[in-house]
């Protein structure tokens, strides 16, 4: 799927970028964007459900998202779906444009910093391993986004008490005709990188994934031919009768050695229409047979 991005950097420079977004990239960022602590067993089904639910919205038209006829005239559900898509695209662009390795719910960062969850705040707290930044993520079915709307979203990206180096407003729109995103204005502050807080968020993220695998009793794949080196695959329930989707985890995550994450190459990606590995060492792979 083609994704048109209007990026405004910290110098006010406008950059127009065209990106290709695959189904595996989309559902990875959808399911894991801001993934927090897995406190309840049902959370595992929530993340897995995101992957399966959005098959119908990816749809037959590869140049835009689709709305099934059964909900086509339901503005509430269309709005909810659009917002989820917007969050996934904000996660994708935070990593693609600003090099984030991890994205977390902003509220989780508030709790670890000792702040009560109240007041205006952005959606995502992102970590590059040297800087942290906040993102206000929106997804709209509208075909355009006005300047006044962007000013409002940029203002909200700056709200919230957690110290960040900069903040960004990410607004996805025209999702069902020609998906586009305005990724605007990183406004920065001179703050200290919160190493201890960020390490704790990372540990929570990986523990949640491993807990979900255990709760769902996912089977490791015995076939290593299609699995990238240094990765372990866990079979997920089938989306289609002929296809097998698997979750890929770097072996350092499975062995719970992520505290040494800077020593292995989290930034590498092996991308095709059948395999996608994100910068956090988590990926997806789809095969017709195993």
């Amino acid at each position: 799927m083609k994704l048109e991005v209007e990026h405004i950097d910290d110098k006010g420079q406008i950059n127009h970028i065209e990106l290709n977004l695959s189904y595996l990239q989309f559902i990875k960022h959808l399911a894991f964007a801001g993934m927090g602590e897995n406190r309840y067993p049902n959370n595992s089904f929530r993340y897995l459900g995101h992957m399966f639910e959005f098959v119908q919205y990816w749809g037959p038209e590869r140049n835009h998202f689709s709305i099934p006829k059964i909900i086509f005239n339901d503005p509430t559900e269309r709005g909810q779906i659009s917002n989820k898509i917007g969050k996934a695209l904000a996660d994708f662009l935070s990593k693609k444009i600003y090099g984030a390795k991890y994205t977390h719910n902003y509220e989780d960062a508030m709790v670890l910093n000792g702040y009560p969850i109240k007041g205006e705040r952005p959606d995502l707290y992102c970590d590059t391993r040297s800087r942290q930044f906040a993102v206000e993520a929106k997804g709209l079915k509208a075909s355009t986004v006005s300047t006044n709307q962007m000013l409002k979203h940029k203002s909200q990206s700056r709200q919230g008490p957690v110290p960040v180096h900069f903040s960004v407003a990410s607004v996805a729109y025209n999702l069902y005709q020609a998906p586009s995103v305005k990724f605007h204005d990183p406004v920065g502050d001179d703050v200290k990188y919160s190493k201890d807080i960020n390490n704790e968020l990372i540990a929570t993220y990986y523990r949640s994934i491993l807990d979900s695998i255990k709760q769902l009793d996912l089977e490791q794949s015995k076939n290593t031919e299609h699995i990238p080196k240094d990765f372990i695959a866990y079979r997920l329930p089938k989306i289609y009768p002929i296809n097998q989707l698997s979750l890929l985890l770097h072996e350092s995550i499975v062995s719970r050695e992520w505290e040494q994450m800077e020593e292995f190459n989290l930034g590498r990606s092996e991308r095709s229409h059948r395999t996608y590995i994100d910068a956090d060492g988590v990926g997806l792979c789809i095969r017709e047979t195993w």
Side-chain angles (χ1 to χ4, degrees):
M1 182 182 296
K2 297 288 185 187
L3 188 64
E4 300 291 337
V5 180
E6 181 184 272
H7 171 225
I8 299 182
D9 62 21
D10 57 352
K11 298 178 179 61
Q13 181 74 34
I14 300 176
N15 306 296
H16 292 280
I17 308 168
E18 183 178 273
L19 298 173
N20 289 313
L21 181 72
S22 73
Y23 173 67
L24 290 183
Q25 286 178 303
F26 171 66
I27 60 171
K28 192 282 171 184
H29 290 279
L30 173 80
F32 293 93
M35 182 176 181
E37 186 172 353
N38 192 11
R39 297 184 178 91
Y40 306 105
N42 288 343
N43 284 2
S44 303
F45 297 101
R46 175 178 179 270
Y47 299 125
L48 192 61
H50 281 337
M51 295 184 187
F52 296 161
E53 177 188 6
F54 274 79
V55 170
Q56 61 185 317
Y57 304 115
W58 191 257
E61 298 292 336
R62 298 305 185 191
N63 60 336
H64 59 76
F65 294 96
S66 299
I67 292 293
K69 290 183 179 179
I70 193 171
I71 64 164
F72 191 84
N73 295 316
D74 183 343
T76 300
E77 187 153 357
R78 287 184 68 177
Q80 292 169 346
I81 295 304
S82 299
N83 200 49
K84 288 181 181 180
I85 293 172
K87 188 174 182 180
L89 297 181
D91 185 274
F92 172 66
L93 293 175
S94 295
K95 295 183 175 183
K96 188 77 173 177
I97 294 177
Y98 287 122
K101 293 289 190 283
Y102 301 96
T103 60
H104 311 283
N105 283 327
Y106 188 87
E107 289 80 1
D108 288 338
M110 291 177 69
V111 170
L112 286 181
N113 278 277
Y115 296 112
I117 299 177
K118 64 179 182 180
E120 292 289 320
R121 54 190 180 271
D123 295 291
L124 297 175
Y125 174 88
C126 306
D127 176 12
T128 71
R129 303 307 289 141
S130 62
R131 296 190 299 172
Q132 62 248 3
F133 63 96
V135 179
E136 171 65 6
K138 296 293 182 186
L140 308 173
K141 58 187 178 182
S143 59
T144 59
V145 180
S146 70
T147 300
N148 285 339
Q149 285 177 301
M150 286 306 299
L151 288 173
K152 177 182 177 182
H153 299 315
K154 284 190 289 185
S155 176
Q156 188 166 351
S157 76
R158 301 174 191 141
Q159 303 299 310
V162 179
V164 292
H165 292 86
F166 60 91
S167 61
V168 183
S170 177
V171 181
Y173 62 100
N174 205 20
L175 298 174
Y176 310 108
Q177 296 294 327
S180 304
V181 184
K182 291 190 176 183
F183 201 74
H184 280 195
D185 284 13
V187 178
D189 292 306
D190 184 16
V191 301
K192 182 179 178 181
Y193 179 71
S194 304
K195 183 176 181 180
D196 291 343
I197 294 293
N198 291 332
N199 284 346
E200 192 167 346
L201 285 167
I202 290 167
T204 297
Y205 173 69
Y206 285 136
R207 282 198 301 263
S208 294
I209 294 173
L210 294 174
D211 287 348
S212 294
I213 289 172
K214 183 177 180 180
Q215 290 164 2
L216 294 169
D217 195 24
L218 299 182
E219 175 188 359
Q220 281 193 28
S221 173
K222 300 297 189 291
N223 188 334
T224 60
E225 180 182 354
H226 300 296
I227 300 172
K229 184 182 177 182
D230 302 328
F231 281 79
I232 297 172
Y234 296 88
R235 295 188 186 188
L236 298 172
K238 288 186 178 181
I239 300 178
Y240 302 114
I242 63 171
N243 288 334
Q244 178 65 58
L245 182 68
S246 288
L247 175 69
L248 301 176
L249 297 181
H250 191 277
E251 59 186 14
S252 297
I253 299 171
V254 179
S255 62
R256 297 178 179 264
E257 296 176 346
W258 55 75
E259 68 277 1
Q260 301 181 24
M261 61 191 151
E262 290 152 336
E263 296 182 10
F264 64 86
N265 190 2
L266 279 175
R268 88 180 203 193
S269 292
E270 298 182 29
R271 294 173 183 168
S272 71
H273 67 290
R274 294 189 178 276
T275 303
Y276 174 65
I277 299 169
D278 199 5
D280 54 11
V282 179
L284 293 170
C285 184
I286 191 167
R287 292 286 179 264
E288 291 185 2
T289 58
W290 285 85

